[in-house]
Amino acid sequence: MRAGRWAGRSGPSRLAAVATLVLVSSLVACGSESGPDLERLRNPADSAFQAQAPDDFRVRFETSRGDFVMEVRREWAPNGAERVHNLVRAGYYDEVRFFRVVEGFMAQFGINGDPQTAVAWAQQSIPDDPRVLSNTRGTVAFGMRGPGTRTTQLFINFVDNSALDEQGFSPVGQIVEGMDVVDQIYAGYGEMAPRGGGPAPQFILQRGNDWLRAEYPRLDYIQRATIEPGG
């Protein structure tokens, strides 16, 4: 987005736009009914999402552009590490689109393509983590609107975005393999609507991957995310 509600390419308000809209309870779920273990994914209270993550682990993202690997350490962001580990193990990020990709800034993903799952997780926030890493190139942090609002959305920093540090964005991981793949993620749609040509998050939440495939066919996506052996 390049004007209006979201800030422009410069200034702190634009950087704060890493946050995306939170779904209100009145949204109606619709769209694809397929996906990995949907019954579990639609129930954030399931015990599978309460497990403690290992001290360190790696996540392999197989995407429409190729593979990249993210290293996560509990010491960097313990609450964030547990959320990432449990979501990946349950298949939450499979078939998830990179819906906000801004050249010279970041690539954001994490709204599940099944609307019922997206609705279920939209307000399942985790406690904040004190920042350990800086938002430099290749680090990965949760999108948020402010304190106590991290849920499932992550973004990868294309460049040194250390200006985000003071706003509370606490990296949970960093890309250790395949950053060249990340650099190639399709950025043609740019910022989210109405400031750019990308999809508005509230419509992704309502309509899911069926809508994205029809209206934004060039979006790259995660085919599968898995914990590397040993993690």
Side-chain angles (χ1 to χ4, degrees), residues 36-109:
D37 200 356
L38 283 181
E39 183 176 356
R40 171 170 288 180
L41 284 175
R42 291 170 177 174
N43 180 21
D46 190 291
S47 60
F49 300 113
Q50 315 307 318
Q52 179 172 306
D55 288 340
D56 58 84
F57 59 94
R58 291 188 174 192
V59 181
R60 176 169 295 274
F61 292 91
E62 301 170 32
T63 83
S64 52
R65 286 286 175 179
D67 293 6
F68 63 86
V69 176
M70 174 177 67
E71 180 180 12
V72 179
R73 297 184 185 178
R74 283 180 54 82
E75 64 184 281
W76 293 338
N79 295 311
E82 289 185 3
R83 173 57 58 88
V84 169
H85 191 263
N86 290 329
L87 289 178
V88 170
R89 289 179 64 231
Y92 179 91
Y93 292 111
D94 296 1
E95 296 296 319
V96 163
R97 267 57 183 169
F98 294 94
F99 69 90
R100 181 184 182 216
V101 185
V102 182
E103 292 182 354
F105 186 29
M106 47 76 84
Q108 189 163 342
F109 64 97

Coordinates of all heavy atoms in Angstrom, one line a residue, residues 36-109:
P36 N -4.1 -29.9 5.6 CA -3.5 -30.9 6.5 C -4.2 -30.8 7.9 O -4.1 -29.8 8.6 CB -2.1 -30.5 6.6 CG -2.1 -29.0 6.3 CD -3.2 -28.8 5.4
D37 N -4.8 -31.9 8.3 CA -5.4 -32.1 9.6 C -6.2 -30.9 10.0 O -6.0 -30.2 11.1 CB -4.3 -32.3 10.6 CG -4.7 -32.9 11.9 OD1 -6.0 -33.1 12.1 OD2 -3.9 -33.2 12.8
L38 N -7.2 -30.5 9.2 CA -8.0 -29.3 9.5 C -8.7 -29.3 10.8 O -8.9 -28.3 11.5 CB -9.0 -29.1 8.4 CG -8.5 -28.5 7.1 CD1 -9.6 -28.4 6.1 CD2 -7.8 -27.2 7.3
E39 N -9.2 -30.5 11.3 CA -9.9 -30.5 12.5 C -9.0 -30.0 13.7 O -9.5 -29.3 14.5 CB -10.3 -32.0 12.8 CG -11.2 -32.1 14.1 CD -11.7 -33.5 14.3 OE1 -11.5 -34.4 13.4 OE2 -12.3 -33.8 15.4
R40 N -7.8 -30.4 13.6 CA -6.8 -30.0 14.7 C -6.5 -28.5 14.5 O -6.5 -27.7 15.4 CB -5.6 -30.8 14.7 CG -4.4 -30.3 15.6 CD -3.3 -31.3 15.7 NE -3.7 -32.4 16.6 CZ -3.0 -33.4 16.9 NH1 -1.7 -33.5 16.4 NH2 -3.4 -34.4 17.7
L41 N -6.2 -28.1 13.2 CA -5.8 -26.7 13.0 C -6.9 -25.7 13.4 O -6.6 -24.6 13.8 CB -5.5 -26.6 11.5 CG -4.1 -27.1 11.0 CD1 -4.0 -27.0 9.5 CD2 -3.0 -26.4 11.8
R42 N -8.1 -26.1 13.2 CA -9.2 -25.2 13.6 C -9.5 -25.1 15.1 O -10.4 -24.4 15.5 CB -10.5 -25.7 12.8 CG -10.4 -25.5 11.3 CD -11.6 -26.2 10.6 NE -11.6 -26.0 9.2 CZ -12.4 -26.5 8.3 NH1 -13.4 -27.4 8.8 NH2 -12.4 -26.3 7.0
N43 N -8.7 -25.9 15.9 CA -8.9 -25.9 17.3 C -7.6 -25.5 18.0 O -6.8 -26.3 18.4 CB -9.3 -27.3 17.8 CG -9.5 -27.3 19.3 OD1 -9.7 -26.3 19.9 ND2 -9.5 -28.5 19.8
P44 N -7.3 -24.2 18.2 CA -6.1 -23.7 18.8 C -5.9 -24.3 20.2 O -4.8 -24.3 20.7 CB -6.2 -22.2 18.8 CG -7.1 -21.9 17.7 CD -8.1 -23.0 17.7
A45 N -7.0 -24.7 20.9 CA -6.9 -25.3 22.2 C -6.4 -26.7 22.3 O -6.1 -27.2 23.3 CB -8.3 -25.2 22.9
D46 N -6.2 -27.3 21.1 CA -5.7 -28.7 21.0 C -4.3 -28.7 21.7 O -3.5 -27.8 21.6 CB -5.5 -29.1 19.6 CG -5.2 -30.6 19.4 OD1 -4.1 -31.0 19.8 OD2 -6.1 -31.3 18.9
S47 N -4.1 -29.8 22.5 CA -2.9 -29.9 23.2 C -1.6 -29.9 22.3 O -0.5 -29.6 22.8 CB -2.9 -31.2 24.0 OG -3.0 -32.4 23.2
A48 N -1.8 -30.2 21.1 CA -0.6 -30.2 20.1 C 0.0 -28.8 20.0 O 1.2 -28.7 19.7 CB -1.1 -30.7 18.7
F49 N -0.7 -27.8 20.3 CA -0.2 -26.4 20.2 C 0.3 -25.9 21.5 O 0.7 -24.7 21.6 CB -1.3 -25.5 19.7 CG -1.9 -25.9 18.4 CD1 -3.2 -26.4 18.2 CD2 -1.0 -25.9 17.2 CE1 -3.6 -26.7 17.0 CE2 -1.5 -26.3 16.0 CZ -2.8 -26.7 15.9
Q50 N 0.4 -26.7 22.6 CA 0.9 -26.3 23.9 C 2.3 -26.8 24.2 O 2.8 -26.5 25.2 CB -0.1 -26.7 25.0 CG -1.5 -26.5 24.7 CD -1.9 -25.1 24.3 OE1 -1.4 -24.2 24.9 NE2 -2.7 -24.9 23.3
A51 N 2.9 -27.6 23.3 CA 4.2 -28.2 23.6 C 5.3 -27.2 23.6 O 5.3 -26.2 22.8 CB 4.4 -29.3 22.5
Q52 N 6.3 -27.5 24.4 CA 7.5 -26.6 24.4 C 8.4 -27.0 23.3 O 8.7 -28.2 23.0 CB 8.2 -26.8 25.8 CG 9.5 -25.9 25.9 CD 10.0 -25.9 27.3 OE1 9.3 -25.6 28.2 NE2 11.3 -26.2 27.4
A53 N 8.9 -26.0 22.6 CA 9.8 -26.2 21.5 C 11.2 -26.6 22.0 O 11.6 -26.3 23.2 CB 9.9 -24.9 20.7
P54 N 12.0 -27.2 21.2 CA 13.4 -27.5 21.5 C 14.2 -26.2 21.7 O 13.7 -25.1 21.3 CB 13.9 -28.3 20.3 CG 12.7 -28.8 19.6 CD 11.7 -27.8 19.9
D55 N 15.4 -26.2 22.3 CA 16.2 -25.0 22.4 C 16.5 -24.4 21.1 O 16.7 -23.2 21.0 CB 17.5 -25.4 23.2 CG 17.2 -25.6 24.7 OD1 16.1 -25.2 25.2 OD2 18.0 -26.3 25.3
D56 N 16.7 -25.2 20.1 CA 17.0 -24.7 18.7 C 16.5 -25.7 17.7 O 16.5 -27.0 18.0 CB 18.4 -24.4 18.5 CG 19.4 -25.5 18.7 OD1 19.5 -26.4 17.8 OD2 19.9 -25.7 19.9
F57 N 16.0 -25.3 16.6 CA 15.5 -26.1 15.5 C 15.6 -25.4 14.2 O 15.7 -24.2 14.2 CB 14.1 -26.7 15.8 CG 13.1 -25.6 16.0 CD1 12.3 -25.2 14.9 CD2 12.9 -25.0 17.2 CE1 11.3 -24.2 15.1 CE2 11.9 -24.0 17.4 CZ 11.1 -23.7 16.3
R58 N 15.4 -26.1 13.1 CA 15.4 -25.5 11.8 C 14.1 -25.9 11.1 O 13.6 -27.0 11.2 CB 16.6 -25.9 11.0 CG 17.9 -25.3 11.5 CD 19.1 -25.6 10.5 NE 20.3 -24.8 11.0 CZ 21.3 -24.7 10.2 NH1 21.4 -25.2 9.0 NH2 22.4 -24.0 10.7
V59 N 13.6 -25.0 10.4 CA 12.3 -25.2 9.6 C 12.7 -25.1 8.1 O 13.3 -24.1 7.7 CB 11.2 -24.2 9.9 CG1 10.0 -24.5 9.1 CG2 10.9 -24.2 11.4
R60 N 12.3 -26.1 7.3 CA 12.5 -26.1 5.9 C 11.2 -25.7 5.2 O 10.2 -26.3 5.5 CB 13.0 -27.4 5.3 CG 13.1 -27.5 3.8 CD 13.8 -28.7 3.3 NE 15.2 -28.7 3.7 CZ 16.2 -28.1 3.1 NH1 16.0 -27.5 2.0 NH2 17.4 -28.2 3.6
F61 N 11.3 -24.6 4.5 CA 10.1 -24.2 3.7 C 10.3 -24.6 2.3 O 11.2 -24.1 1.6 CB 9.9 -22.7 3.8 CG 9.6 -22.2 5.2 CD1 10.6 -21.8 6.1 CD2 8.3 -22.0 5.6 CE1 10.2 -21.4 7.4 CE2 7.9 -21.6 6.9 CZ 8.9 -21.2 7.8
E62 N 9.4 -25.4 1.8 CA 9.4 -25.8 0.4 C 8.4 -24.9 -0.3 O 7.2 -25.0 0.0 CB 9.0 -27.3 0.2 CG 10.0 -28.2 0.9 CD 9.5 -29.7 0.9 OE1 8.8 -30.0 -0.1 OE2 9.7 -30.4 1.9
T63 N 8.9 -24.1 -1.2 CA 8.0 -23.0 -1.8 C 7.9 -23.2 -3.3 O 8.7 -23.9 -3.9 CB 8.4 -21.6 -1.4 OG1 9.5 -21.2 -2.3 CG2 8.9 -21.6 0.0
S64 N 7.0 -22.4 -3.9 CA 6.9 -22.3 -5.3 C 8.1 -21.7 -6.0 O 8.2 -21.8 -7.2 CB 5.6 -21.5 -5.7 OG 5.6 -20.2 -5.0
R65 N 9.0 -21.1 -5.2 CA 10.3 -20.6 -5.8 C 11.5 -21.5 -5.5 O 12.6 -21.2 -6.0 CB 10.5 -19.2 -5.2 CG 9.7 -18.1 -5.7 CD 10.1 -17.7 -7.1 NE 9.1 -16.7 -7.6 CZ 9.2 -16.2 -8.8 NH1 10.2 -16.5 -9.6 NH2 8.3 -15.3 -9.2
G66 N 11.3 -22.4 -4.6 CA 12.5 -23.2 -4.1 C 12.4 -23.3 -2.6 O 11.5 -22.9 -2.0
D67 N 13.5 -23.9 -2.1 CA 13.5 -24.2 -0.6 C 14.4 -23.1 0.1 O 15.4 -22.6 -0.5 CB 14.1 -25.5 -0.3 CG 13.2 -26.7 -0.7 OD1 12.2 -26.4 -1.4 OD2 13.5 -27.8 -0.4
F68 N 14.0 -22.8 1.3 CA 14.8 -22.0 2.2 C 14.7 -22.6 3.6 O 13.7 -23.2 3.9 CB 14.6 -20.5 2.1 CG 13.2 -20.0 2.6 CD1 13.0 -19.8 3.9 CD2 12.2 -19.8 1.6 CE1 11.7 -19.3 4.3 CE2 11.0 -19.4 2.0 CZ 10.7 -19.1 3.4
V69 N 15.7 -22.3 4.4 CA 15.7 -22.9 5.8 C 15.8 -21.8 6.8 O 16.7 -20.9 6.7 CB 16.8 -23.9 6.0 CG1 16.9 -24.4 7.4 CG2 16.7 -25.1 5.0
M70 N 15.0 -21.8 7.8 CA 15.0 -20.8 8.9 C 15.5 -21.5 10.2 O 15.0 -22.6 10.6 CB 13.7 -20.2 9.2 CG 13.6 -19.3 10.4 SD 12.0 -18.5 10.6 CE 10.9 -20.0 11.0
E71 N 16.5 -20.9 10.9 CA 16.9 -21.4 12.2 C 16.2 -20.6 13.2 O 16.1 -19.4 13.2 CB 18.4 -21.2 12.3 CG 19.0 -21.7 13.7 CD 20.5 -21.5 13.8 OE1 21.1 -20.8 13.0 OE2 21.0 -22.0 14.8
V72 N 15.7 -21.3 14.3 CA 15.0 -20.7 15.4 C 15.7 -21.1 16.7 O 16.0 -22.3 16.8 CB 13.5 -21.2 15.4 CG1 12.8 -20.5 16.6 CG2 12.8 -20.8 14.1
R73 N 15.9 -20.2 17.6 CA 16.4 -20.5 18.9 C 15.5 -19.9 20.0 O 15.1 -18.8 19.9 CB 17.8 -19.9 19.0 CG 18.9 -20.5 18.1 CD 20.2 -20.0 18.4 NE 21.2 -20.4 17.4 CZ 22.5 -20.1 17.4 NH1 22.9 -19.2 18.3 NH2 23.3 -20.5 16.5
R74 N 15.3 -20.7 21.0 CA 14.4 -20.2 22.1 C 15.0 -19.0 22.8 O 14.3 -18.2 23.2 CB 14.2 -21.4 23.1 CG 13.2 -22.4 22.7 CD 13.0 -23.5 23.8 NE 12.7 -22.9 25.1 CZ 11.5 -22.5 25.4 NH1 10.5 -22.7 24.6 NH2 11.3 -22.0 26.6
E75 N 16.3 -18.9 22.8 CA 17.0 -17.8 23.5 C 16.7 -16.5 22.8 O 16.8 -15.4 23.4 CB 18.5 -18.0 23.6 CG 19.2 -18.1 22.3 CD 20.7 -18.4 22.4 OE1 21.4 -17.4 22.7 OE2 21.0 -19.5 22.2
W76 N 16.4 -16.6 21.5 CA 16.0 -15.3 20.8 C 14.6 -14.8 21.1 O 14.4 -13.6 21.2 CB 16.2 -15.6 19.3 CG 17.6 -15.8 18.8 CD1 18.7 -15.5 19.4 CD2 17.9 -16.5 17.6 NE1 19.8 -15.9 18.7 CE2 19.4 -16.5 17.6 CE3 17.2 -17.1 16.6 CZ2 20.1 -17.1 16.5 CZ3 17.9 -17.6 15.5 CH2 19.3 -17.6 15.5
A77 N 13.7 -15.8 21.2 CA 12.3 -15.4 21.4 C 11.5 -16.7 21.8 O 10.9 -17.3 21.0 CB 11.7 -14.8 20.2
P78 N 11.5 -17.0 23.1 CA 11.0 -18.3 23.6 C 9.5 -18.5 23.2 O 9.1 -19.6 22.8 CB 11.2 -18.3 25.1 CG 11.5 -16.9 25.4 CD 12.1 -16.3 24.2
N79 N 8.7 -17.5 23.4 CA 7.2 -17.6 23.1 C 7.0 -17.8 21.6 O 6.2 -18.6 21.2 CB 6.5 -16.4 23.7 CG 6.5 -16.3 25.2 OD1 6.2 -17.3 25.9 ND2 6.8 -15.2 25.7
G80 N 7.8 -17.0 20.9 CA 7.7 -17.1 19.4 C 8.2 -18.4 18.9 O 7.6 -19.0 18.0
A81 N 9.2 -18.9 19.5 CA 9.8 -20.2 19.0 C 8.8 -21.3 19.2 O 8.6 -22.2 18.4 CB 11.1 -20.5 19.8
E82 N 8.1 -21.3 20.4 CA 7.1 -22.4 20.6 C 5.9 -22.3 19.7 O 5.5 -23.3 19.1 CB 6.6 -22.3 22.1 CG 7.7 -22.7 23.1 CD 7.2 -22.7 24.5 OE1 5.9 -22.4 24.7 OE2 8.0 -23.0 25.4
R83 N 5.5 -21.1 19.4 CA 4.4 -20.9 18.4 C 4.8 -21.4 17.0 O 4.0 -22.1 16.4 CB 3.9 -19.4 18.4 CG 2.9 -19.1 17.3 CD 1.6 -19.9 17.4 NE 0.9 -19.8 18.7 CZ 0.0 -18.9 19.0 NH1 -0.3 -17.9 18.2 NH2 -0.6 -18.9 20.2
V84 N 6.0 -21.0 16.6 CA 6.4 -21.5 15.3 C 6.5 -23.0 15.2 O 6.0 -23.6 14.3 CB 7.8 -20.8 14.9 CG1 8.4 -21.5 13.6 CG2 7.6 -19.3 14.7
H85 N 7.2 -23.6 16.2 CA 7.4 -25.0 16.2 C 6.1 -25.8 16.2 O 5.9 -26.7 15.4 CB 8.2 -25.4 17.5 CG 8.7 -26.8 17.5 ND1 8.1 -27.8 18.1 CD2 9.8 -27.3 16.9 CE1 8.8 -28.9 17.9 NE2 9.8 -28.7 17.2
N86 N 5.1 -25.4 17.0 CA 3.9 -26.1 17.1 C 3.0 -25.9 15.8 O 2.4 -26.8 15.3 CB 3.1 -25.6 18.3 CG 3.7 -26.1 19.6 OD1 4.3 -27.1 19.6 ND2 3.6 -25.3 20.6
L87 N 3.0 -24.7 15.2 CA 2.3 -24.5 14.0 C 2.9 -25.3 12.8 O 2.2 -25.9 12.0 CB 2.2 -23.0 13.6 CG 1.4 -22.1 14.5 CD1 1.5 -20.7 14.1 CD2 -0.1 -22.6 14.5
V88 N 4.2 -25.3 12.7 CA 4.8 -26.0 11.6 C 4.6 -27.5 11.8 O 4.2 -28.2 10.8 CB 6.4 -25.8 11.6 CG1 7.1 -26.7 10.6 CG2 6.7 -24.3 11.2
R89 N 4.7 -28.1 13.0 CA 4.4 -29.5 13.2 C 3.0 -29.9 12.8 O 2.8 -31.0 12.3 CB 4.7 -29.9 14.6 CG 6.2 -29.8 15.0 CD 6.4 -30.2 16.5 NE 6.0 -31.6 16.7 CZ 5.1 -31.9 17.7 NH1 4.6 -31.0 18.5 NH2 4.8 -33.2 17.9
A90 N 2.1 -29.0 13.0 CA 0.7 -29.2 12.7 C 0.3 -29.0 11.2 O -0.8 -29.3 10.8 CB -0.2 -28.4 13.6
G91 N 1.2 -28.4 10.4 CA 1.0 -28.1 9.0 C 0.3 -26.8 8.7 O -0.2 -26.6 7.6
Y92 N 0.3 -25.9 9.7 CA -0.4 -24.7 9.6 C 0.1 -23.9 8.3 O -0.7 -23.2 7.6 CB -0.2 -23.8 10.8 CG -0.9 -22.5 10.7 CD1 -2.3 -22.3 11.1 CD2 -0.3 -21.3 10.2 CE1 -2.9 -21.1 11.0 CE2 -0.9 -20.1 10.1 CZ -2.2 -20.0 10.5 OH -2.9 -18.8 10.3
Y93 N 1.4 -23.8 8.1 CA 1.9 -23.0 7.0 C 1.9 -23.6 5.6 O 2.3 -23.0 4.7 CB 3.4 -22.6 7.4 CG 3.4 -21.6 8.6 CD1 4.0 -22.0 9.8 CD2 2.9 -20.3 8.5 CE1 4.0 -21.1 10.9 CE2 2.9 -19.5 9.5 CZ 3.5 -19.9 10.7 OH 3.5 -19.0 11.8
D94 N 1.4 -24.9 5.6 CA 1.3 -25.5 4.2 C 0.3 -24.8 3.4 O -0.8 -24.5 3.8 CB 0.9 -27.0 4.4 CG 2.0 -27.8 5.1 OD1 3.0 -27.2 5.5 OD2 1.8 -29.0 5.3
E95 N 0.7 -24.5 2.1 CA -0.2 -23.8 1.2 C -0.5 -22.4 1.5 O -1.4 -21.8 0.9 CB -1.5 -24.6 1.0 CG -1.3 -26.0 0.4 CD -0.8 -26.0 -1.0 OE1 -1.2 -25.1 -1.8 OE2 0.1 -26.8 -1.3
V96 N 0.3 -21.8 2.4 CA 0.1 -20.4 2.8 C 0.8 -19.5 1.8 O 2.0 -19.7 1.5 CB 0.6 -20.2 4.3 CG1 0.8 -18.7 4.6 CG2 -0.4 -20.8 5.2
R97 N 0.2 -18.4 1.4 CA 0.7 -17.4 0.4 C 1.6 -16.4 1.1 O 1.3 -16.0 2.2 CB -0.4 -16.7 -0.3 CG -0.8 -17.4 -1.6 CD -1.3 -18.8 -1.5 NE -1.6 -19.4 -2.8 CZ -1.8 -20.7 -3.0 NH1 -1.7 -21.6 -2.0 NH2 -2.1 -21.1 -4.2
F98 N 2.6 -15.9 0.3 CA 3.3 -14.7 0.7 C 2.5 -13.5 0.2 O 2.6 -13.1 -1.0 CB 4.7 -14.7 0.0 CG 5.6 -15.8 0.5 CD1 5.7 -17.0 -0.1 CD2 6.4 -15.6 1.7 CE1 6.5 -18.0 0.3 CE2 7.2 -16.6 2.2 CZ 7.3 -17.8 1.5
F99 N 1.6 -13.0 1.0 CA 0.6 -12.1 0.6 C 1.0 -10.6 0.5 O 0.4 -9.8 -0.1 CB -0.7 -12.2 1.4 CG -0.5 -11.7 2.8 CD1 -0.8 -10.4 3.2 CD2 -0.1 -12.6 3.8 CE1 -0.6 -9.9 4.5 CE2 0.0 -12.1 5.2 CZ -0.2 -10.8 5.5
R100 N 2.1 -10.3 1.2 CA 2.6 -8.9 1.2 C 4.1 -9.0 1.0 O 4.9 -9.4 1.9 CB 2.3 -8.3 2.6 CG 2.8 -6.8 2.7 CD 2.5 -6.3 4.1 NE 2.9 -4.9 4.1 CZ 3.4 -4.3 5.2 NH1 3.7 -5.0 6.3 NH2 3.8 -3.0 5.1
V101 N 4.6 -8.6 -0.2 CA 6.0 -8.7 -0.5 C 6.4 -7.3 -1.1 O 5.9 -6.9 -2.2 CB 6.2 -9.8 -1.6 CG1 7.8 -9.9 -1.8 CG2 5.7 -11.1 -1.1
V102 N 7.2 -6.6 -0.4 CA 7.6 -5.2 -0.7 C 9.1 -5.2 -1.0 O 9.9 -5.5 -0.1 CB 7.2 -4.2 0.3 CG1 7.6 -2.8 -0.1 CG2 5.7 -4.3 0.7
E103 N 9.5 -4.9 -2.2 CA 10.9 -4.9 -2.5 C 11.6 -3.9 -1.6 O 11.1 -2.8 -1.3 CB 11.1 -4.5 -4.0 CG 10.6 -5.5 -5.0 CD 10.9 -5.1 -6.4 OE1 11.3 -3.9 -6.6 OE2 10.6 -5.9 -7.3
G104 N 12.8 -4.2 -1.2 CA 13.6 -3.4 -0.3 C 13.0 -3.3 1.1 O 13.5 -2.4 1.9
F105 N 12.1 -4.2 1.5 CA 11.5 -4.1 2.8 C 11.4 -5.6 3.4 O 12.2 -6.0 4.1 CB 10.2 -3.4 2.8 CG 9.6 -3.2 4.1 CD1 10.4 -3.0 5.3 CD2 8.2 -3.1 4.3 CE1 9.8 -2.8 6.5 CE2 7.6 -2.8 5.5 CZ 8.4 -2.7 6.7
M106 N 10.3 -6.3 3.0 CA 10.1 -7.5 3.6 C 9.1 -8.4 2.8 O 8.4 -7.9 1.9 CB 9.5 -7.3 5.0 CG 8.4 -6.3 5.1 SD 6.8 -6.8 4.5 CE 6.2 -7.7 6.0
A107 N 9.0 -9.7 3.2 CA 8.0 -10.6 2.6 C 7.2 -11.2 3.8 O 7.8 -11.8 4.7 CB 8.7 -11.7 1.9
Q108 N 5.9 -11.0 3.8 CA 5.0 -11.4 4.9 C 4.1 -12.6 4.5 O 3.6 -12.6 3.4 CB 4.2 -10.2 5.4 CG 3.5 -10.5 6.7 CD 3.0 -9.2 7.4 OE1 3.6 -8.1 7.0 NE2 2.1 -9.3 8.3
F109 N 3.9 -13.5 5.5 CA 3.0 -14.6 5.2 C 2.5 -15.1 6.6 O 2.9 -14.6 7.6 CB 3.8 -15.8 4.6 CG 4.9 -16.3 5.4 CD1 4.7 -17.5 6.2 CD2 6.2 -15.7 5.5 CE1 5.8 -18.0 7.0 CE2 7.2 -16.3 6.2 CZ 7.0 -17.4 7.0

